Amino acid sequence: MMRCSRIFALSSLMVGALITGVPVVAPYMARAAAVPSLDKAAQAVQALVQQVGEDRFTAPDFRPGVVRHMVMFQFRPETTQAQRQEVTRRFLALAQASRRPDGSAVIQALEAGPQTSGENADLGLDYGYLVTFRSEGDRNYYVGRPIVQGHGHYDPAHDAFKAFAAPYLAKAVVFDFTVTP
């Protein structure tokens, strides 16, 4: 039976040092302001990592069920179309590149597309990505730093992508949830 887990929602301004609680620059943002205090979801995740440890928190069988990881970017005005395309190309490449040390895939599915809603509620966001995982453990391994720090507990491909994309982004919003049956 899949259970509804806590919503793990971290906007670009809430992503911070979840383990230490020390404000840091958000991973997708090269010139972001300091991160304010942690929201309820971030506090819950921090407490959970401390409770179960990084090994368990990032294990493939930790809290199995369909987990959706929604990411939305607003590109900087000076980011060229070619640079935007390269960010998206590299993001989509994570579907194959994100692997555990044993070679097993972390991502179940990855979809992407530009903002096309006419509802006038996009908050200036340009592009969205939907990453699907088989468990919270897979999602936790993929997200990695700053939530987990230990070698072998985070996805180096995703970590490298965050460093690459940061200079091109004005804003990143992340919202995760476990699908309820």
Side-chain angles (χ1 to χ4, degrees):
M1 172 177 120
M2 285 200 291
R3 63 199 155 190
C4 179
S5 73
R6 284 167 252 207
I7 294 176
F8 178 74
L10 298 176
S11 74
S12 63
L13 295 178
M14 290 298 184
V15 176
L18 298 176
I19 304 305
T20 65
V22 175
V24 296
V25 174
Y28 287 117
M29 306 206 26
R31 293 170 262 186
V35 178
S37 61
L38 301 176
D39 64 22
K40 288 181 183 180
Q43 290 173 21
V45 169
Q46 180 181 4
L48 183 59
V49 174
Q50 291 173 350
Q51 178 187 7
V52 303
E54 289 187 356
D55 282 338
R56 184 72 193 120
F57 184 74
T58 60
D61 63 347
F62 182 69
R63 294 185 172 174
V66 177
V67 178
R68 304 275 195 228
H69 176 75
M70 299 184 307
V71 178
M72 291 158 281
F73 291 156
Q74 179 183 45
F75 290 98
R76 294 185 182 283
E78 65 272 16
T79 302
T80 67
Q81 188 60 33
Q83 291 166 329
R84 291 169 187 237
Q85 289 172 345
E86 184 62 12
V87 167
T88 294
R89 186 193 71 72
R90 289 186 187 206
F91 199 125
L92 291 171
L94 291 172
Q96 297 304 314
S98 291
R99 301 275 172 184
R100 290 185 174 273
D102 68 0
S104 62
V106 176
I107 295 173
Q108 182 178 18
L110 199 160
E111 304 165 85
Q115 193 301 108
T116 61
S117 173
E119 296 177 78
N120 196 35
D122 59 43
L123 303 174
L125 299 164
D126 299 310
Y127 219 89
Y129 308 84
L130 182 61
V131 188
T132 302
F133 301 97
R134 292 176 192 86
S135 69
E136 286 186 32
D138 280 344
R139 184 274 318 273
N140 298 341
Y141 177 81
Y142 170 83
V143 170
R145 298 191 287 188
I147 299 168
V148 294
Q149 301 293 326
H151 181 69
H153 292 117
Y154 63 87
D155 177 13
H158 182 237
D159 203 50
F161 170 78
K162 291 186 280 188
F164 166 78
Y168 303 113
L169 304 177
K171 185 188 313 182
V173 176
V174 179
F175 188 97
D176 293 4
F177 63 96
T178 298
V179 176
T180 55

